[in-house]
Amino acid sequence: MVTDSAGEASVYGRVLLKISGESLQGAGPETIDPEAVAYIADQIMDTQTRGVEVAVVVGGGNIWRGATAERQGMERSAADYAGMVATIINGLALQDALERRGVTTRTQSALPIQAVAEPYIRRRAIRHLEKGRVVLFCAGAGNPYMSTDTASALRALEIGAEVLLMAKNGVDGVYDSDPRTNPQAVRFGNLEYLEAVNRRLEVMDSTAMTLCMDNQMPIIVFDIFDQGAMSRILQGDEVGTTIDDGQQNGKGGD
């Protein structure tokens, strides 16, 4: 547990926050909504002021989806690399919003793009975190056929994060079916990794889930736009859906 200068405690000392590209789009028609970006930057800043070390993986789905481009006839590797570039654009937007709030930020890219971002170097990223900087990881894992979900699991493990926070846009957890089409859908409070995989629940891709399962990295899926959700998670409250090995939490729907 860590405590900030104002006495606000957090059960986590270091977290990896996965921000989807759709979250930066918000509810509006713009590819990047300034109000949504500002809100997310405020949530990250609040987390950091609690004394928590924060790393962020940024998605690119608001700009580009490699899988969609592939279905339309584009070669898969090229489509995926284009998606990595999209995450860099989103990362720069979030970096700007954070720095305008006085938050010292470092952006690291898995693709070489030295004019705007550092190369991803694990030890350097950890050092930035130890110095109180927010680290933004862009370009996924730097390889095609690997989603930003997989990059999130990988980076969380590499930097020694205590939890992987999967921030969603308007979805407050994991359901047994799509709550947007089924009003009777039930939200899970807790899930075990294998249950999420076997039930083919749309949490993250199977590679990312397996990576977390094999290394016992807990996952919390929550709605980033649920006011106060991040704060409650840091306090140890049950928010959204927690996915783990079932040893520390019970299972069941809300």
Side-chain angles (χ1 to χ4, degrees), residues 9-12 15 46-47 50 52 229-236:
S10 170
V11 296
Y12 302 109
V15 302
D46 178 68
T47 301
R50 292 172 177 265
V52 181
M230 281 281 289
S231 177
R232 299 196 303 275
I233 289 172
L234 297 175
Q235 292 169 1

Side-chain angles (χ1 to χ4, degrees), residues 16-227:
L16 190 291
L17 175 66
K18 164 64 191 307
I19 298 291
S20 67
E22 290 85 349
S23 295
L24 298 181
Q25 190 172 15
E30 299 293 332
T31 301
I32 298 177
D33 177 15
E35 291 187 4
V37 174
Y39 174 85
I40 292 170
D42 285 339
Q43 301 306 301
I44 295 172
M45 180 176 67
D46 178 68
T47 301
Q48 190 204 38
T49 58
R50 292 172 177 265
V52 181
E53 297 173 2
V54 188
V56 183
V57 168
V58 187
N62 55 320
I63 300 173
W64 182 269
R65 284 194 173 278
T68 300
E70 183 190 21
R71 286 195 297 270
Q72 295 170 347
M74 190 172 184
E75 195 273 326
R76 174 62 185 271
S77 293
D80 283 354
Y81 280 119
M84 294 178 210
V85 174
T87 71
I88 296 171
I89 295 171
N90 284 338
L92 292 176
L94 187 54
Q95 172 187 274
D96 176 74
L98 286 165
E99 292 191 340
R100 281 189 282 113
R101 286 160 172 73
V103 179
T104 303
T105 308
R106 293 291 185 273
T107 300
Q108 292 195 344
S109 172
L111 289 179
I113 186 167
Q114 289 91 334
V116 296
E118 298 178 356
Y120 171 68
I121 300 174
R122 173 182 168 273
R123 288 169 62 90
R124 181 179 291 177
I126 292 173
R127 185 59 175 155
H128 286 322
L129 292 170
E130 291 172 344
K131 289 190 173 187
R133 300 163 181 159
V134 171
V135 181
L136 304 178
F137 296 126
C138 299
N143 302 103
Y145 297 93
M146 298 187 72
S147 70
T148 50
D149 286 347
T150 299
S152 300
L154 180 62
R155 297 290 183 253
L157 292 167
E158 287 183 302
I159 66 170
E162 296 165 40
V163 65
L164 170 53
L165 304 177
M166 296 286 293
K168 300 294 186 179
N169 180 7
V171 180
D172 62 350
V174 181
Y175 286 76
D176 61 355
S177 59
D178 189 344
R180 291 167 293 190
T181 58
N182 178 15
Q184 304 303 318
V186 176
R187 179 167 64 87
F188 295 96
N190 295 91
L191 275 170
E192 291 185 20
Y193 303 110
L194 273 178
E195 183 175 4
V197 172
N198 292 336
R199 296 181 65 153
R200 299 184 181 275
L201 300 173
E202 295 183 1
V203 182
M204 55 174 57
D205 66 74
S206 58
T207 302
M209 183 65 72
T210 301
L211 191 57
C212 289
M213 178 175 64
D214 289 346
N215 294 277
Q216 296 184 315
M217 171 62 64
I219 307 161
I220 299 178
V221 183
F222 71 105
D223 180 4
I224 186 67
F225 294 107
D226 176 7
Q227 190 70 40

